[in-house]
Amino acid sequence: MNILIIGNGGREYAIGLALLKDTSQNHLFFAPGNGATSSLGENITLADFESLAMFAKERAIDLTIVGPEAPLTEGIVDAFHAHGLTIFGPSKAAARLEGSKIFMKEFLAANAIPTAAFLQTDSYEKASDFIDTLSAPMVVKADGLCAGKGVIIAQNKDEAKAAVRDMLSGESFGSAGMRVVVEEFLDGYELSLFAICDGDEYILLPAAQDHKRLKDDDQGPNTGGMGAYAPTPLVNVGIYEAVKKRVVEPTLKGMKEIDAPFCGVLFIGLMIVKGEIFVLEYNVRFGDPECEVLMPLLKTSATDLFYKAATKDLKSLHVDFHDQVAVGVVVASKHYPYKTSPSVPISIDAVEIEGAHVAYAGVSGSFEEGLHVNGGRVLLCIGVGKDVKEAQKRAYALCEHVHFEGMQYRKDIAYQALNQ
Ligand code: AMP
Ligand code: GLY
């Protein structure tokens, strides 16, 4: 198959690796890709949807897979469908589950899907009255996409009210913050669950855990994610069943009812509080770095999985996973997540470690001419093994072989699995 992958991160690199593992017959294109994806396929520089669709037609692309949320919420899937092209991802209408926190929260409430109690408003007075009914801490969220920064955990009522005021004035997040969601704080542990959906049917992937903070022991600022592992032993059959029956199935049903059937990756940010599940948020794409640890666990062909989901044929597919654990450690650049880091050279002195491999993210250049740092999260070292311990050991053994100036990584990825 000719497959076009939209995006440039470790997530898209990992999807590319999985597609090539299936069959060397797959020919991959990345738009725009990174310095390492050019070794898996061809990088192309087109960005606007019409040019990409024309490219897909001219090059007989059989399937397009969209990595990040921005093109989805801007309607890339609708644009490709208008040209009769096959693309895996939600329509613009369905992508509102991630594009608008208010849409998402009201959808959850309307379909009786468990979530934190909330109020959505553009009125400071209403928000303030609701805050007075909550006990600290409480959570204030901007409605629109804010690159993961639009969530404030306020330690007291004054802080919460100040956050609302800043958002509503447009000061903090511009138009994305002109409406806000205020919600109760849930005290539990977080999981990342992914359902591959074709509108009606779905496949739930093994539960993963991300590590959002920069430093060990969940200290330091929030990041896009410093590492992930899957499956996590923090779930049991009961939680998987609850996610299916109380979250995924009502979501697919509810989205069909509003003429926005959900096809693509439903990423469920879940909080478990004393064994009960609550949806924190939806994203409409794979998590990054979660995707990089989930792809190696797929036993079934990734090509079949994505193609059948995109063509509404998941029913005909049985999906199996390896009985293994994958741990992915993000190696980030010097100033991440504060500011751009220098484009220093990267050297890796052993890529062939048993059960370990690299997924490349923020890299420029090429393998032939040398890779350079080109972004915050530079690459991931992924270990796959029979249990969390073995996978973690392999991932960290590979980290030892990666060198570039200012590199930083957490030393405790998967700690919750080992501490339990
Ligand atoms: P979101 O973008 O909604 O996932 O929020 C980002 C992060 O904020 C989540 O991953 C949680 O760690 C935290 N968070 C969001 N909402 C809540 C909540 N109601 N209670 C506790 N933590 C939350
Ligand atoms: N790892 C979290 C995200 O991709 O949003």
Side-chain angles (χ1 to χ4, degrees):
M1 267 195 202
N2 290 328
I3 305 178
L4 171 63
I5 300 172
I6 310 287
N8 65 357
R11 169 177 53 201
E12 290 75 21
Y13 183 91
I15 291 172
L17 268 191
L19 294 169
L20 289 182
K21 195 175 70 183
D22 279 355
T23 154
S24 53
Q25 300 298 316
N26 280 339
H27 191 81
L28 306 185
F29 297 87
F30 294 84
N34 62 43
T37 55
S38 52
S39 71
L40 305 179
E42 289 175 44
N43 287 352
I44 60 170
T45 51
L46 304 171
D48 73 279
F49 301 162
E50 280 306 304
S51 313
L52 285 166
M54 286 304 125
F55 174 86
K57 278 190 144 170
E58 279 159 22
R59 301 299 287 263
I61 299 291
D62 301 290
L63 171 66
T64 298
I65 299 171
V66 188
E69 65 276 19
L72 294 168
T73 57
E74 288 160 13
I76 190 171
V77 169
D78 310 69
F80 271 54
H81 282 166
H83 288 284
L85 292 159
T86 300
I87 181 164
F88 177 59
S91 65
K92 184 172 181 172
R96 282 178 297 167
L97 282 179
E98 175 163 3
S100 165
K101 292 227 188 298
I102 291 175
F103 175 82
M104 182 262 295
K105 290 292 288 192
E106 298 213 313
F107 177 85
L108 295 176
N111 291 280
I113 297 168
T115 190
F118 72 102
L119 174 88
Q120 63 93 355
T121 183
D122 62 359
S123 148
Y124 174 77
E125 284 68 34
K126 285 190 181 147
S128 179
D129 288 349
F130 183 66
I131 287 167
D132 285 332
T133 70
L134 299 173
S135 45
M138 58 274 286
V139 187
V140 180
K141 303 183 178 185
D143 177 38
L145 285 181
C146 304
K149 299 191 183 76
V151 176
I152 308 282
I153 313 274
Q155 293 311 322
N156 55 54
K157 293 181 182 183
D158 289 343
E159 217 178 295
K161 290 178 188 178
V164 168
R165 192 178 298 115
D166 288 349
M167 284 187 195
L168 291 180
S169 70
E171 228 164 78
S172 327
F173 303 111
S175 61
M178 295 307 220
R179 290 187 76 87
V180 296
V181 172
V182 180
E183 66 181 33
E184 66 174 334
F185 179 82
L186 297 173
D187 193 7
Y189 61 89
E190 282 185 72
L191 299 175
S192 302
L193 266 296
F194 298 88
I196 308 290
C197 306
D198 73 358
D200 290 300
E201 303 292 325
Y202 65 93
I203 307 286
L204 194 60
L205 304 187
Q209 244 192 339
D210 188 13
H211 299 65
K212 288 233 160 39
R213 303 292 199 97
L214 182 69
K215 304 265 186 203
D216 287 10
D217 295 325
D218 295 325
Q219 302 297 310
N222 262 324
T223 69
M226 292 300 289
Y229 71 99
T232 166
L234 300 171
V235 292
N236 53 37
V237 177
I239 290 178
Y240 280 122
E241 279 308 303
V243 170
K244 287 181 183 174
K245 298 283 174 260
R246 298 183 61 203
V247 181
V248 183
E249 289 169 18
T251 297
L252 292 180
K253 183 163 171 282
M255 291 303 279
K256 265 181 89 171
E257 280 165 9
I258 56 169
D259 288 329
F262 192 89
C263 174
V265 182
L266 181 69
F267 170 173
I268 305 155
L270 205 65
M271 184 77 91
I272 311 288
V273 186
K274 300 192 183 91
E276 288 291 311
I277 61 168
F278 293 88
V279 174
L280 278 183
E281 65 159 352
Y282 279 146
N283 295 305
V284 298
R285 45 142 183 109
F286 268 120
D288 189 348
E290 290 95 326
C291 183
E292 290 92 315
V293 295
L294 289 169
M295 287 298 107
L297 298 177
L298 252 189
K299 202 178 206 174
T300 302
S301 146
T303 314
D304 283 352
L305 177 61
F306 296 132
Y307 188 77
K308 284 184 184 283
T311 54
K312 309 208 182 317
D313 189 25
L314 271 184
K315 211 177 203 147
S316 72
L317 187 70
H318 177 76
V319 178
D320 279 323
F321 301 96
H322 294 292
D323 187 16
Q324 287 179 308
V325 176
V327 173
V329 178
V330 170
V331 182
S333 58
K334 186 172 182 179
H335 301 306
Y336 183 70
Y338 302 105
K339 58 176 188 174
T340 310
S341 303
S343 178
V344 292
I346 302 166
S347 79
I348 302 179
D349 55 36
V351 275
E352 296 288 323
I353 288 197
E354 191 194 353
H357 68 277
V358 175
Y360 295 89
V363 298
S364 60
S366 65
F367 285 109
E368 296 76 42
E369 290 163 14
L371 291 174
H372 281 72
V373 167
N374 182 37
R377 294 186 291 171
V378 178
L379 55 84
L380 280 95
C381 292
I382 295 150
V384 180
K386 63 179 185 306
D387 52 25
V388 177
K389 239 186 184 146
E390 186 176 76
Q392 189 196 49
K393 194 165 159 228
R394 289 174 168 177
Y396 280 114
L398 185 52
C399 288
E400 299 277 313
H401 294 278
V402 175
H403 312 282
F404 61 87
E405 194 202 322
M407 63 185 263
Q408 46 170 338
Y409 58 91
R410 277 180 63 157
K411 308 293 186 299
D412 65 345
I413 300 303
Y415 77 92
Q416 290 195 53
L418 296 171
N419 286 353
Q420 56 142 14

